[in-house]
Amino acid sequence: MNAPNTTNSSSSSMSTTPPTPPPPAATPSIPASAQTRAPPNPNRNPNAPPPLSSLIPKLTAPRRRIPSSSQKNSKNPLPIPTAPPLPPAPARSTPTTSFSHPTRRILSAQDHALFLASPTYDLLLAFVFSLTDAVRDTPVSAVKGDDELSPTVRAVLAVLDAVEEQVVRCPPEDQGGSRFGNPAFRRFLDALGERGGRWMRDVGVGVGAGGEEEEGGGEGEVDEVATYFLEAFGNRTRIDYGSGHELNFVVWLLCLYQLRLLHASDFRAVVLRIFARYMTLMRVIQSTYYLEPAGSHGVWGLDDYQFLPFLFGASQLLHHPYIRPLSIHQALILEQHGPDYLYLGQVAFVNSIKNVDGLRWHSPMLDDISAAKSWEKVEAGMRRMFVAEVLKKLPVMQHFLFGSLIPAVEGMGGEGDEREAGTGVMGRGEGEDGDGETRVVVMQDGMKHVHLNNSWGDCCGIKVPSSIGAAEEMKKRMGGGAQRLRRVPFD
């Protein structure tokens, strides 16, 4: 008889399900972000509150903001102006070539529109932009000695030195502290007029290719070119100066190019030596005679007097390794590099003639431009501004002069035109131009011209005292010592 199988019976009795253990005590909830931050501590009391470090939100990189559709299309809608290639200069004048005394031909909005569509506009724009391109990434010191300069460039520099000598010979009159234009400026311009013809011949105007004087003495050629030169230093009646006079100096250089006295190979020296010398000369003239700003926009303008130093200077700094647009706020940068770069030198001069410290107070437009990311953006903006604020401004261009070298186009008015002889409103339909702005013809300085009825006084509006005069008078009151700029209280 076999024994019963106790193993199977015992195993079957032990295979019953054990009792379920009691659930653990409830614990405070922990944020999911905290749970992922640190692993649980097995030795921590489950009834204890969570550590505070686990409740601090996890630091993450800020999300990249997706630009809206309006921000994607926020680029400047105005294209960067371009100009056709600068045409070669025409053949040098012959005895039968006729020259003419430059006169005003832009007398209305219609005349201005004809100019903007003319070959002369393209020629002027091509010349200015060619000068701009010639000095890309090039400091003033790159043109070292006079031996590298052409005879015409050296002759022009000698003429500008002679002009500065006339400033010494025509000292300013005592005005009792007035900050308006000094009447001695008229004597200075008269002295230039007496010597202008001789200076033009020194440069080569009115002289044949072989150095001999042209038939008839070249009087017509000398008169035409000298007119632009004499208009480059300011207005005799108003004793003011502005970007229109600066443009006349550039047109004078264009005349020398048209006469084949200057060549494309001279363009770098034209900007870095001739135009830079003209800038220092004008600062002397402005400081001596307290020239009033012509058509100043106050702090809302780029500069009271000049424009082209900013265009040429931005091209000089186009790919500079460490000078950025924001560097104009650093006095050390302006001091060290101002003589080498026209943009920095002009900013330093603007700072020196203001009685308030800080570009954001006396030149907010320059301050705004300094926020640009690169000099490429600054230069592109200066090209747009030159076209929009100089060439396309009727109050500026109505004083532009046309002759045989810088010709007007058929259909433009003349200073004897009957449209100029009347008084009252000139323009389209009931005194309004296409943009709805009323244009009024007024008599000023012996000639009629157009005024815009806007708030800026672009042309011959309210006389504006010279900021240079204010700075110079402050120096006199301080005994000739260094000028101390006052700071705005909340600066």
Side-chain angles (χ1 to χ4, degrees):
M1 182 175 169
N2 294 331
N5 190 352
T6 57
T7 304
N8 294 339
S9 61
S10 63
S11 62
S12 61
S13 63
M14 294 178 62
S15 64
T16 58
T17 303
T20 303
T27 57
S29 61
I30 301 176
S33 60
Q35 293 178 4
T36 59
R37 282 183 56 116
N41 186 356
N43 298 324
R44 186 176 62 84
N45 185 354
N47 297 323
L52 295 178
S53 61
S54 63
L55 301 178
I56 300 176
K58 184 179 179 180
L59 296 178
T60 59
R63 292 183 179 180
R64 184 176 180 181
R65 184 173 299 175
I66 301 176
S68 62
S69 58
S70 60
Q71 291 174 330
K72 291 180 181 179
N73 301 325
S74 62
K75 294 183 179 180
N76 195 320
L78 295 176
I80 301 175
T82 57
L86 182 65
R92 189 67 195 270
S93 61
T94 63
T96 59
T97 302
S98 61
F99 293 90
S100 59
H101 183 80
T103 58
R104 296 168 54 250
R105 301 291 300 274
I106 299 178
L107 306 176
S108 68
Q110 292 88 341
D111 295 336
H112 191 205
L114 289 173
F115 163 72
L116 295 176
S118 69
T120 299
Y121 170 82
D122 292 337
L123 173 65
L124 181 57
L125 196 63
F127 184 70
V128 172
F129 285 177
S130 296
L131 294 178
T132 304
D133 294 337
V135 296
R136 283 192 173 185
D137 303 316
T138 308
V140 173
S141 57
V143 183
K144 297 179 180 179
D146 291 348
D147 296 338
E148 301 179 5
L149 306 179
S150 68
T152 301
V153 173
R154 291 197 296 269
V156 170
L157 293 175
V159 168
L160 296 179
D161 291 339
V163 172
E164 187 166 356
E165 292 177 3
Q166 297 305 313
V167 178
V168 179
R169 297 179 181 178
C170 302
E173 300 176 5
D174 184 9
Q175 297 190 110
S178 172
R179 297 178 295 166
F180 289 93
N182 196 293
F185 178 67
R186 298 188 178 104
R187 291 191 290 109
F188 164 75
L189 288 184
D190 292 342
L192 299 190
E194 295 171 0
R195 296 162 176 81
R198 184 177 76 246
W199 288 339
M200 295 305 102
R201 288 186 170 84
D202 292 342
V203 173
V205 179
V207 179
E212 70 281 358
E213 191 172 277
E214 294 180 353
E215 184 177 345
E219 292 297 332
E221 182 177 339
V222 169
D223 174 71
E224 179 170 348
V225 177
T227 301
Y228 291 107
F229 178 78
L230 297 175
E231 290 290 330
F233 300 99
N235 182 271
R236 187 182 186 280
T237 303
R238 297 190 303 269
I239 315 182
D240 65 4
Y241 175 90
S243 56
H245 302 100
E246 178 187 64
L247 184 62
N248 277 324
F249 184 78
V250 173
V251 174
W252 177 64
L253 297 174
L254 177 56
C255 289
L256 299 183
Y257 172 80
Q258 292 286 81
L259 293 173
R260 296 195 172 188
L261 297 173
L262 287 175
H263 307 278
S265 58
D266 296 320
F267 283 1
R268 188 171 70 163
V270 165
V271 176
L272 302 182
R273 293 297 299 272
I274 293 179
F275 188 80
R277 179 67 181 93
Y278 170 71
M279 291 303 306
T280 59
L281 171 61
M282 285 313 308
R283 290 167 189 166
V284 172
I285 295 174
Q286 292 159 8
S287 302
T288 302
Y289 302 113
Y290 296 176
L291 300 188
E292 300 164 17
S296 173
H297 288 179
V299 298
W300 304 114
L302 184 65
D303 182 87
D304 279 345
Y305 300 101
Q306 316 292 160
F307 177 83
L308 290 177
F310 299 101
L311 173 59
F312 297 152
S315 181
Q316 284 184 281
L317 293 162
L318 208 56
H319 304 102
H320 198 279
Y322 60 86
I323 297 180
R324 298 290 180 264
L326 204 59
S327 300
I328 66 172
H329 298 281
Q330 302 176 20
L332 186 60
I333 291 290
L334 298 180
E335 180 181 355
Q336 289 182 344
H337 299 282
D340 247 355
Y341 297 96
L342 299 178
Y343 194 106
L344 303 181
Q346 189 64 22
V347 171
F349 178 70
V350 170
N351 284 334
S352 70
I353 63 174
K354 301 297 183 179
N355 56 11
V356 175
D357 190 10
L359 279 175
R360 57 177 166 168
W361 301 119
H362 59 69
S363 302
M365 182 174 286
L366 285 176
D367 181 66
D368 290 344
I369 293 172
S370 69
K373 295 181 179 180
S374 65
W375 287 110
E376 288 91 339
K377 289 186 174 293
V378 175
E379 193 217 25
M382 291 301 169
R383 288 176 184 252
R384 293 187 184 98
M385 192 177 295
F386 175 71
V387 172
E389 298 298 327
V390 179
L391 298 184
K392 290 189 176 181
K393 283 287 186 179
L394 177 59
V396 176
M397 295 307 297
Q398 66 182 340
H399 299 289
F400 191 79
L401 302 175
F402 295 87
S404 64
L405 297 172
I406 313 295
V409 296
E410 185 178 355
M412 294 176 63
E415 289 193 343
D417 199 300
E418 293 180 357
R419 289 178 298 171
E420 189 186 30
T423 59
V425 177
M426 176 188 294
R428 299 176 185 165
E430 299 186 0
E432 291 187 357
D433 192 11
D435 55 6
E437 292 180 322
T438 303
R439 306 179 187 277
V440 180
V441 179
V442 297
M443 175 67 76
Q444 183 77 21
D445 304 333
M447 61 183 178
K448 291 183 176 69
H449 60 276
V450 180
H451 270 190
L452 269 179
N453 284 343
N454 59 18
S455 60
W456 290 115
D458 280 324
C459 184
C460 311
I462 300 174
K463 289 169 68 69
V464 179
S466 168
S467 58
I468 297 179
E472 294 298 323
E473 290 300 322
M474 176 182 288
K475 291 179 182 179
K476 292 178 182 179
R477 292 194 299 270
M478 297 174 64
Q483 181 181 4
R484 180 175 299 174
L485 297 179
R486 60 183 178 88
R487 299 186 66 85
V488 176
F490 44 85
D491 188 5

